Amino acid sequence: MARLKFGAFLAPHHPIGEHPMLQFRRDLDLVEQLDSLGYDEFWCGEHHSSGWEMIASPEMFLAAAGERTKRIKLGTGVVSLPYHHPFNVAQRMVQLDHMTGGRAIFGSGPGALASDAHTLGIDPMTQRDRQDEAIGVIRRLFNGERVTAKSDWFTMNDAALQILPLQEEMPFVVASQISPSGMTLAGKYGIGIISLGSMTTQGLMSLQQQWQFAEDAARKHGTKVDRANWRVLLTWHLAETREQARREAGAGLMRWHNEYNVGTLRRPGLTAFASPDEAVDKTAFVDGAASVIGTPDDLVKMIKNVMRVSGGVGAIIGFVHDWANPEATRRSWDMVARYVVPEINGYIDGLRKSQKFVIENRAIFERAGQAVMAKIMENEKAAEALRVTGPGRVAIPAVNAPDLQKEAAKR
């Protein structure tokens, strides 16, 4: 099985009340931590309303993150293409790619918040078509073409980029919810996908059908889609025990759900939780739950289920939230890197096999102890000294330590 990539997706979703400057800095600290832990990707989005999501320019945030990190890939999750002139988007992404040393991933979407589109005077019915149109133009610009184009929302006259991306081919990724539009767009252009709808039970169970949309569109347009470029978003909070994870995440989860999803966005079909325990139970401990609040073993089980349900993906991306306090949140991301990633990707399989081989073949290695004994017993003084400094008194590996009582009996 190909190794899974792991990453984090920062919308962000921060409760109102904390100093925005400190939120920005804490988010940058998180990127730095993820980079040091070996995560593969970090994503952040673009929003202009709702109060909880206060990164307006993912490119600006990622440029700052690039200065504090070394290897982690940095993705716009996402640039809302209908909000911007495509030429300006292309230029900003090229600059980000150069400023981060070729680590940029261009993630785009039609725009998630209706309030953002309203602020900009954009008809929601046009957003997905505009995203499609913009992707086509930006790909041409990245390829070095000089583009003249006119639509009902932008004009280009002999437009060409002064510099091209540092990467030979900057990855293109589109966001997908539960509707087929994102997957169809990925299939049309043969580009990557980040599935955001998988954070719900309905979205998780529809992953296989979602992939079918992408493959159907790819066949129609003569392109190919690769599961290695498919990213699936999950939510989790980990601790040493389920009880500890529940204590740490319950109140914050309840606030996020009640104040943001229900109170602010008024998502259809959602009702407020009555208690932190109810929030945890209905989020992580129901049939088909798309979230983990528990231990690393629980998340390993969830990821294996996602691989089974989906047919295989290329990356698991964790949704960044403030369910727990900053210290517990950082520890949760640390536990994923320490215990979940190596378990999923088989990094410790060889160590287990080596230990098992030594345990099961101890008789083979007893000859090493016999060799040590032979040399000691050749010298009477050494043999006498070992009676005082023998096993249990000096750092001799047990498998090599002579059995003095057994030798004495032989004599």
Side-chain angles (χ1 to χ4, degrees):
M1 183 181 70
R3 289 177 175 173
L4 274 176
K5 293 182 179 179
F6 283 79
F9 185 98
L10 176 76
H13 280 192
H14 292 315
I16 298 171
E18 183 180 339
H19 197 311
M21 176 189 71
L22 299 180
Q23 287 180 331
F24 286 131
R25 290 182 178 177
R26 180 154 52 86
D27 290 339
L28 288 169
D29 289 342
L30 175 63
V31 189
E32 194 169 1
Q33 178 197 9
L34 298 177
D35 183 57
S36 69
L37 289 172
Y39 282 85
D40 299 287
E41 299 176 354
F42 177 85
W43 299 76
C44 76
E46 170 190 356
H47 302 91
H48 307 281
S49 57
S50 87
W52 281 59
E53 302 178 79
M54 20 66 73
I55 291 180
S57 171
E59 306 97 324
M60 185 179 294
F61 182 90
L62 294 175
E67 291 299 299
R68 297 176 59 168
T69 56
K70 297 177 180 178
R71 53 170 300 280
I72 195 169
K73 297 283 188 177
L74 301 167
T76 55
V78 295
V79 174
S80 299
L81 290 181
Y83 302 170
H84 309 279
H85 194 293
F87 186 74
N88 287 335
V89 173
Q91 288 193 107
R92 294 200 304 267
M93 289 305 304
V94 167
Q95 180 172 335
L96 178 63
D97 199 38
H98 280 265
M99 291 182 68
T100 59
R103 290 187 281 145
I105 303 174
F106 176 39
S108 71
L113 296 179
S115 51
D116 287 351
H118 172 75
T119 298
L120 297 169
I122 297 173
D123 181 358
M125 298 300 292
T126 69
Q127 287 177 249
R128 283 155 184 80
D129 290 339
R130 288 186 177 187
Q131 181 194 6
D132 185 350
E133 189 174 16
I135 288 176
V137 169
I138 292 170
R139 283 169 66 87
R140 293 176 62 192
L141 291 169
F142 279 6
N143 288 332
E145 295 183 35
R146 188 172 292 278
V147 179
T148 295
K150 185 175 179 62
S151 77
D152 60 347
W153 63 290
F154 71 85
T155 299
M156 287 188 195
N157 296 317
D158 297 320
L161 297 174
Q162 295 185 97
I163 56 174
L164 298 178
L166 182 60
Q167 300 175 80
E168 186 173 358
E169 186 172 348
M170 186 190 299
F172 272 63
V173 176
V174 293
S176 172
Q177 295 277 358
I178 295 179
S179 75
S181 59
M183 302 299 280
T184 300
L185 198 58
K188 176 180 179 178
Y189 290 105
I191 56 181
I193 306 143
I194 182 165
S195 291
L196 309 181
S198 52
M199 291 194 300
T200 67
T201 299
Q202 180 185 3
L204 190 63
M205 299 309 296
S206 69
L207 286 175
Q208 187 63 263
Q209 179 62 60
Q210 292 286 311
W211 184 251
Q212 190 63 52
F213 292 142
E215 289 190 324
D216 290 346
R219 280 192 294 270
K220 178 180 177 180
H221 293 277
T223 64
K224 292 183 179 180
V225 284
D226 188 344
R227 287 179 179 270
N229 297 324
W230 186 13
R231 299 157 174 87
V232 169
L233 202 64
L234 299 177
T235 50
W236 60 65
H237 177 73
L238 303 188
E240 283 76 8
T241 65
R242 286 184 180 180
E243 291 73 19
Q244 181 180 344
R246 174 185 289 269
R247 289 195 304 271
E248 292 174 349
L253 168 60
M254 179 178 171
R255 181 180 181 186
W256 170 72
H257 177 84
N258 290 2
E259 293 187 17
Y260 184 66
N261 293 317
V262 178
T264 302
L265 299 185
R266 299 184 181 275
R267 296 192 187 278
L270 295 184
T271 57
F273 294 136
S275 68
D277 279 338
E278 182 187 9
V280 173
D281 289 338
K282 290 187 175 181
T283 300
F285 295 101
V286 293
D287 290 340
S291 300
V292 170
I293 298 175
T295 68
D297 288 341
D298 293 325
L299 183 54
V300 167
K301 182 179 179 180
M302 161 71 81
I303 293 172
K304 289 181 177 179
N305 182 58
V306 169
M307 297 299 286
R308 179 185 60 81
V309 169
S310 66
V313 305
I316 297 296
I317 309 297
F319 185 77
V320 180
H321 50 71
D322 286 347
W323 295 353
N325 65 40
E327 293 74 20
T329 298
R330 289 174 65 88
R331 187 171 65 251
S332 173
W333 287 101
D334 182 88
M335 294 184 77
V336 174
R338 289 182 184 275
Y339 304 115
V340 177
V341 174
E343 190 66 38
I344 291 294
N345 285 332
Y347 296 152
I348 54 180
D349 288 354
L351 297 173
R352 288 187 175 129
K353 290 177 181 178
S354 179
Q355 180 191 36
K356 186 173 184 289
F357 183 80
V358 171
I359 292 171
E360 294 179 348
N361 294 274
R362 182 176 177 84
I364 297 175
F365 308 114
E366 287 184 353
R367 185 166 176 77
Q370 294 170 5
V372 174
M373 175 65 78
K375 287 297 180 184
I376 292 174
M377 301 313 292
E378 287 177 1
N379 188 307
E380 292 294 335
K381 291 183 178 180
E384 185 63 29
L386 192 59
R387 296 180 186 278
V388 180
T389 61
R393 300 183 181 89
V394 293
I396 301 175
V399 71
N400 293 334
D403 187 338
L404 294 181
Q405 288 74 22
K406 185 176 180 180
E407 184 63 26
K410 286 181 180 179
R411 286 172 173 266

